[in-house]
């Protein structure tokens, strides 16, 4: 009986240890709130919104600091792009390119960015639910626009842009420099992503927007002028360049189709300048033209008589 009694404490300690190991994992601060549109009400509090925003910014800055260089950071942002396009050799002159998923990036990096963008959506919904248009709302929406543009997440930056310009700006005005910046983003989004050239020009006239680079982008898109488009891509800032990326594939396919119709062969460097892409990347995309040892690209071979 004594042996049995002595064994009981150790048995209880084992159960206690097992219970401790089954404790739930610590909840992620960015996932501690649900979507206000789904019934979450805690984000309707102004102070809670501000604390949550500070957590988002902190996580975003840590994510950026963790990337060893700018190229890796750009790759992580690009990894959230929903689709990229591929050029098939048979589509250069006849069909539009098919769409394929982007190459997968590190799951941890992609997952962290996705959490940040999801948290920004929750914050936006909380600000909208409280009809907040003060300096904090302005700052939060500006941050949202910048982060989402870098990730090319138009479902996040476009509604933020529209709200910033149409609802917040009338009550908490943007500075002239800020207004110029965000109107420019909206114009480029309308032209490059939506293909709405009329809407882009209407926005330009509405805000009396003047920027020769953006104007050149609009003209290049309307005229299918890939030479000017690629030049402007190098002339604009990083955020504008991200938005221009939505039109890149259309411009590239058009350029290659023109080459396919007008040339039997061309120098490799000329092909790369027209497509704004390295030859090896074009081959990976599916371009089936032949490269000779003299760096001459055979586009079409003469038909046998």
């Amino acid at each position: 009986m004594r042996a049995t009694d002595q064994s009981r404490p150790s048995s209880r300690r084992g159960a206690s240890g097992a219970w401790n190991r089954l404790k739930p994992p610590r909840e992620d601060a960015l996932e501690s709130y649900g979507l206000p549109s789904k019934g979450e009400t805690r984000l309707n509090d102004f102070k809670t919104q501000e604390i949550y925003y500070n957590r988002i910014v902190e996580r975003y800055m840590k994510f950026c600091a963790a990337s060893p260089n700018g190229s890796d950071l750009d790759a992580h942002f690009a990894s959230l792009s929903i689709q990229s396009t591929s050029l098939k050799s048979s589509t250069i002159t006849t069909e539009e390119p098919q769409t394929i998923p982007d190459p997968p990036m590190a799951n941890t990096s992609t997952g962290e960015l996705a959490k940040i963008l999801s948290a920004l959506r929750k914050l936006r919904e909380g600000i909208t639910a409280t009809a907040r248009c003060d300096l904090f709302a302005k700052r939060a929406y500006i941050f949202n626009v910048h982060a989402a543009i870098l990730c090319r997440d138009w479902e996040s930056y476009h509604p933020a842009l529209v709200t910033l310009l149409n609802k917040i700006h009338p009550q908490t005005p943007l500075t002239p420099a800020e207004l110029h910046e965000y109107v420019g983003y909206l114009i480029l989004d309308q032209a490059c992503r939506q293909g709405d050239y009329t809407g882009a020009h209407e926005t330009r006239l509405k805000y009396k927007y003047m920027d020769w680079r953006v104007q050149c982008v609009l003209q290049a898109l309307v005229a299918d002028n890939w030479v000017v488009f690629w030049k402007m891509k190098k002339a604009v800032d990083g955020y504008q360049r991200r938005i221009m990326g939505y039109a890149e594939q259309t411009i590239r396919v058009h350029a290659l189709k023109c080459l396919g119709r007008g040339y039997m062969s061309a120098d490799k460097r000329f092909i790369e300048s027209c497509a704004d892409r390295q030859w090896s990347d074009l081959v990976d995309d599916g371009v089936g033209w032949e490269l000779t040892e003299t760096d001459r690209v055979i586009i079409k071979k003469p038909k046998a008589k």
Side-chain angles (χ1 to χ4, degrees):
M1 293 294 293
R2 290 181 181 177
T4 304
D5 292 339
Q6 291 175 353
S7 65
R8 288 177 180 172
S10 62
S11 176
R12 286 196 294 272
R13 284 195 295 271
S16 176
W19 179 261
N20 290 334
R21 288 194 297 271
L22 293 176
K23 284 184 178 180
R26 187 176 180 181
E27 187 177 21
D28 191 312
L30 298 188
E31 297 181 327
S32 57
Y33 298 103
L35 286 167
S37 59
K38 302 293 185 180
E40 175 65 77
T41 58
R42 289 175 294 172
L43 283 173
N44 291 349
D45 178 74
F46 282 13
K47 187 63 177 179
T48 302
Q49 291 174 4
E50 292 165 13
I51 293 173
Y52 193 52
Y53 169 76
N54 289 334
R55 289 176 178 173
I56 295 171
V57 173
E58 181 182 4
R59 287 282 286 274
Y60 179 82
M61 297 306 293
K62 285 182 178 179
F63 173 82
C64 292
S67 297
N69 55 62
S71 297
D72 287 347
L73 188 59
D74 286 342
H76 292 320
F77 284 129
S79 70
L80 281 185
S81 299
I82 297 176
Q83 290 181 330
S84 66
T85 50
S86 173
L87 302 174
K88 303 297 182 182
S89 58
S90 62
T91 66
I92 296 301
T93 58
T94 57
E95 303 174 1
E96 294 301 319
Q98 298 177 354
T99 56
I100 60 174
D102 277 336
M105 298 298 296
N107 291 334
T108 54
S109 299
T110 305
E112 182 69 2
L113 276 175
K115 286 181 182 179
I116 292 170
L117 291 174
S118 176
L120 284 171
R121 177 187 173 185
K122 297 171 187 176
L123 180 61
R124 284 201 321 271
E125 289 191 5
I127 292 174
T128 299
T130 54
R132 193 171 184 179
C133 293
D134 58 2
L135 285 172
F136 167 77
K138 172 183 167 181
R139 184 168 68 252
Y141 271 79
I142 284 175
F143 177 81
N144 189 143
V145 169
H146 282 154
I149 285 177
L150 289 179
C151 295
R152 286 187 65 191
D153 181 15
W154 68 267
E155 292 181 321
S156 182
Y157 77 67
H158 182 262
L161 264 178
V162 172
T163 300
L164 181 65
L165 292 173
N166 296 339
K167 293 185 178 180
I168 296 178
H169 174 59
Q171 298 189 46
T172 306
L174 298 164
T175 65
E178 289 172 338
L179 183 61
H180 184 271
E181 177 182 357
Y182 298 105
V183 169
Y185 296 158
L186 181 59
I187 291 172
L188 285 175
D189 181 75
Q190 289 174 312
C192 297
R193 182 182 65 83
Q194 302 179 49
D196 183 8
Y197 306 140
T198 300
H201 282 293
E202 288 177 351
T203 300
R204 185 176 61 84
L205 294 174
K206 174 183 176 181
Y207 289 97
K208 299 179 181 179
Y209 181 86
M210 297 292 293
D211 188 311
W212 68 271
R213 289 173 290 267
V214 173
Q215 181 65 20
C216 284
V217 171
L218 297 181
Q219 292 174 351
L221 289 171
V222 171
D224 288 325
N225 189 332
W226 65 82
V227 176
V228 172
F229 185 86
W230 299 136
K231 285 183 178 179
M232 290 305 102
K233 181 187 171 187
K234 297 176 181 177
V236 299
D237 65 37
Y239 295 106
Q240 293 173 323
R241 192 175 301 115
R242 280 289 188 189
I243 300 175
M244 285 180 66
Y246 287 104
E248 281 186 22
Q249 191 68 353
T250 300
I251 293 292
R252 182 171 294 117
V253 170
H254 176 73
L256 293 173
K257 283 183 176 181
C258 289
L259 293 176
R261 294 190 188 101
Y263 289 81
M264 299 294 289
S265 65
D267 185 76
K268 185 185 75 169
R269 290 185 180 180
F270 177 67
I271 299 289
E272 291 175 335
S273 67
C274 291
D276 193 46
R277 201 157 172 82
Q278 294 296 312
W279 173 253
S280 59
D281 295 326
L282 289 173
V283 172
D284 291 340
D285 286 343
V287 172
W289 297 337
E290 180 184 346
L291 178 65
T292 67
E293 295 179 356
T294 59
D295 276 351
R296 191 77 180 172
V297 177
I298 306 301
I299 298 175
K300 291 185 295 187
K301 293 182 178 180
K303 295 182 179 179
K305 296 183 179 179

